[in-house]
Structures are given as structure tokens and as C-alpha cells.
Amino acid sequence: MGKIEFESVKRYLVKNKGESESESTVDDEELPRGFLDHLILRGLCLHLIEPGRVLFSMNIPPRLLNSGNYLHGGVITTLVNVVGAAAIPAAGFPWETGVSLEINVSCLDATYAHEEIEIDARVLRVGKTIAAVSVEFRKKKTGQIIAQGRHTKYLPRTSKL
């Protein structure tokens, strides 16, 4: 990276340097609880629930696009997390608060505003404390795969004592 590029990046990252902290950062208490849920999950529709599988659809709103006008990778990752976690109780396992151990995403094609997608999550395996789920994103009109994700989750079990 050349010096000019580095300096412009540095200016962008520290553009509020010297201002008060409340003006240059977002405080947790400024955002309502569930802020990201409302931002990303609004418009998500459940179409199918069967053992080990859930199928959702969503029309992509402009608020979920990145600067290139494609569905933002962070949105895809959040949907892998949420929809993947929803497939676990569909497989007959208790809905428990767990911790994501790994989430990976492969973006294969671009998705644009107002395009309808399907999000299909399937449980691959649930063991004593680990669950693995595969999540596929498709364009609803063509069935073309636009992204794939995998969600591995730790499921704490209560003691039997």
C-alpha cells in the first residue's frame, strides 16, 4: 500500500480524533436492545419447518446492501447464525442458549436490493454438546446458490445430578 493510500485510510479511521469520545464512538447504551435483530431480521419469513430443517425467505431491502450494492457479508453471517440456530430445535433438540464456536461463509454470487432469496438451514449433526448446521442462500426465482455457510454451536447441557 502506497503512502498516499495509507494516509487516506488513516484519516478515515481517525477522522474524529480530538473530538469527545461520545461524538466519535457509539455507546452500547445508545442502541436499543435487539437493534441488530430489528435491522437485519425484519422481513424474514418462515416457510417450512421439518425435522432438522428450516426454510426462510426474504426480500432484500436496500438497508442490507454494502457500498457495492450487494448483500452485505455481515448480514449473511448474521443470518447463518440466527437461521442455523433455529434449525437445531427443529431437529428435536431443546432450544438452549449456546455459544457459536465457528461460523464460516462463502459468498458465491451477488444479490441486490428487492431480490427475493431463500435461506435453507439443515442440521448436519447434533452430539452431546456440539451442533453443526449447514445454511444455503439461493435466489428464489432461479434457485441459484448465492452463499453457503456453516454454523457450529456449543450446547451446554444441564447436570443430571
Side-chain angles (χ1 to χ4, degrees):
M1 180 180 283
K3 187 166 177 74
I4 293 173
E5 291 174 3
F6 175 77
E7 289 302 321
S8 68
V9 170
K10 183 177 174 184
R11 277 193 307 277
Y12 174 78
L13 293 174
V14 294
K15 67 181 174 185
N16 293 324
K17 188 175 181 183
E19 297 176 8
S20 73
E21 189 172 311
S22 66
E23 292 174 340
S24 63
T25 61
V26 176
D27 188 359
D28 287 347
E29 293 169 15
E30 292 178 31
L31 298 175
R33 186 173 178 91
F35 170 76
L36 287 176
D37 293 345
H38 179 69
L39 178 70
I40 295 173
L41 303 179
R42 191 173 69 216
L44 195 62
C45 294
L46 176 65
H47 288 282
L48 175 72
I49 184 166
E50 61 186 32
R53 181 180 178 215
V54 292
L55 178 67
F56 288 84
S57 72
M58 171 185 244
N59 264 325
I60 303 303
R63 72 177 182 278
L64 300 182
L65 303 180
N66 62 19
S67 61
N69 275 338
Y70 307 123
L71 183 60
H72 195 287
V75 171
I76 294 170
T77 304
T78 299
L79 290 168
V80 167
N81 187 14
V82 172
V83 174
I88 297 167
F93 295 88
W95 185 276
E96 299 191 32
T97 304
V99 178
S100 294
L101 296 175
E102 177 188 29
I103 297 174
N104 69 51
V105 173
S106 296
C107 296
L108 307 170
D109 197 10
T111 309
Y112 306 96
H114 309 296
E115 197 161 3
E116 190 170 9
I117 62 169
E118 290 181 324
I119 307 161
D120 192 355
R122 296 171 190 255
V123 171
L124 300 173
R125 184 176 192 288
V126 178
K128 290 181 182 177
T129 57
I130 303 291
V133 181
S134 176
V135 182
E136 189 172 87
F137 294 74
R138 295 183 298 264
K139 293 182 180 184
K140 192 164 185 174
K141 277 187 180 178
T142 64
Q144 178 183 3
I145 298 171
I146 58 169
Q148 291 179 319
R150 173 96 37 116
H151 185 197
T152 306
K153 191 167 183 171
Y154 170 74
L155 304 171
R157 299 291 184 208
T158 56
S159 173
K160 295 182 181 183
L161 295 177

